Amino acid sequence: MTDAFDRVGYGTYKLAAGEECAGGVAHAIETGYRHVDTAQGYDNEASVGDGIDRSDVDREDLFVATKLSTDNLSYDDAVETARESRDRLGVDSIDLLYVHWPIDSYDPAETLPALDALVGDGVIDRIGLSNFEPDQLDEALDRLDHDVFAHQVECHPLLPQERLREYAVEHDHWLVAYSPIARNRVAEVDALREIAASHDATPAQVSLAWLLSKERVAPIPKAADFGHVEDNWAAREIDLRDEEIARIDALDRRERIVDFERAAWNRD
């Protein structure tokens, strides 16, 4: 088990299998990233493994997370496909395995015991959940024998997720923020542009710095362009002033980037 979890991770959503993904992962690790996030549904786990193999960083110094697809959430499918993910990634054990979405074949009575069994068997080291609502988190935490290490959701200044951030602090797990720059819609926000200018930074970097100012929040920006990979990593050095954080907190524009009818927050 590695303790290499880093608050700024490298997201691989929509990075094409092959050179785009493997090269991106290798460059991210060279840049300084130690936390790499993928999913069965991204169809690039093997390329993530290739990128890791290209780097000069020891595997035990990296933190690799993946997610179970929504049609792999029965007990047997979760156990079998998690082992397949481990093999595709080329790791001895998966540092963190998430339930990607609590839909389709998700059944707390089947899926959650499978996660516990995978920890017990050493296939995975930690359990994660993704795109859950608080009541679903309550049920999962009640059923699981092992702690939840992280809950991954969309989170950025236009979707600040106050309730789920508070839940993460209360229950001592990480809120891992995907789409942390809202596919760069943050660049359209005057307040973020003005704050960025005062720091000789970009609105995307300010968005990441704002997330890092929050307790128990870890953004995982995705980037294919090597310059953006480096810019995202450099956001760690931006020290926002209290009044700037408060100004971002006060934004009233709300946009959810990832949304569809069956998502948990759209339940009646």
Side-chain angles (χ1 to χ4, degrees), residues 33-243:
Y33 293 80
R34 295 295 179 263
H35 169 193
V36 180
D37 181 273
T38 184
Q40 292 176 346
Y42 301 170
D43 293 324
N44 61 14
E45 288 177 324
S47 297
V48 169
D50 289 344
I52 291 170
D53 288 342
R54 290 187 195 182
S55 78
D56 294 328
V57 176
D58 290 341
R59 172 61 188 84
E60 56 266 26
D61 293 328
L62 300 176
F63 187 99
V64 181
T66 191
K67 310 175 194 74
L68 293 167
S69 292
T70 62
D71 53 355
N72 292 334
L73 298 176
S74 70
Y75 186 97
D76 290 343
D77 288 344
V79 168
E80 179 181 356
T81 64
R83 293 176 183 274
E84 293 169 353
S85 288
R86 177 191 59 182
D87 294 342
R88 282 192 293 269
L89 290 163
V91 298
D92 292 332
S93 63
I94 298 168
D95 293 301
L96 174 61
L97 180 70
Y98 293 94
V99 173
H100 204 160
W101 294 89
I103 59 174
D104 296 344
S105 62
Y106 177 69
D107 179 349
E110 290 240 345
T111 310
L112 301 174
L115 295 175
D116 279 324
L118 287 163
V119 174
D121 291 343
V123 178
I124 69 175
D125 296 332
R126 301 169 184 83
I127 292 170
L129 306 171
S130 185
N131 298 301
F132 279 53
E133 286 290 276
D135 64 310
Q136 295 171 314
L137 290 170
D138 287 340
E139 180 177 23
L141 267 59
D142 184 58
R143 283 181 175 269
L144 284 165
D145 294 331
H146 295 86
D147 292 337
V148 168
F149 181 80
H151 179 218
Q152 185 174 141
V153 293
E154 179 181 343
C155 186
H156 46 72
L158 306 182
L159 188 69
Q161 300 281 26
E162 294 99 330
R163 186 180 180 194
L164 290 174
R165 284 193 285 113
E166 290 170 0
Y167 193 104
V169 172
E170 179 183 351
H171 293 276
D172 196 30
H173 60 244
W174 288 98
L175 186 138
V176 174
Y178 71 75
S179 297
I181 63 173
R183 296 184 186 163
N184 211 32
R185 292 186 193 177
V186 293
E188 304 167 1
V189 180
D190 288 342
L192 292 170
R193 287 203 302 265
E194 292 165 8
I195 294 168
S198 72
H199 287 273
D200 192 25
T202 65
Q205 289 176 314
V206 168
S207 180
L208 295 171
W210 175 79
L211 288 165
L212 291 170
S213 77
K214 303 303 182 185
E215 189 176 359
R216 306 295 293 179
V217 175
I220 50 167
K222 167 258 177 180
D225 179 86
F226 284 4
H228 291 158
V229 172
E230 295 163 12
D231 288 346
N232 291 339
W233 185 248
R236 299 158 58 254
E237 307 302 322
I238 297 173
D239 187 14
L240 296 176
R241 295 183 289 274
D242 289 346
E243 59 268 26

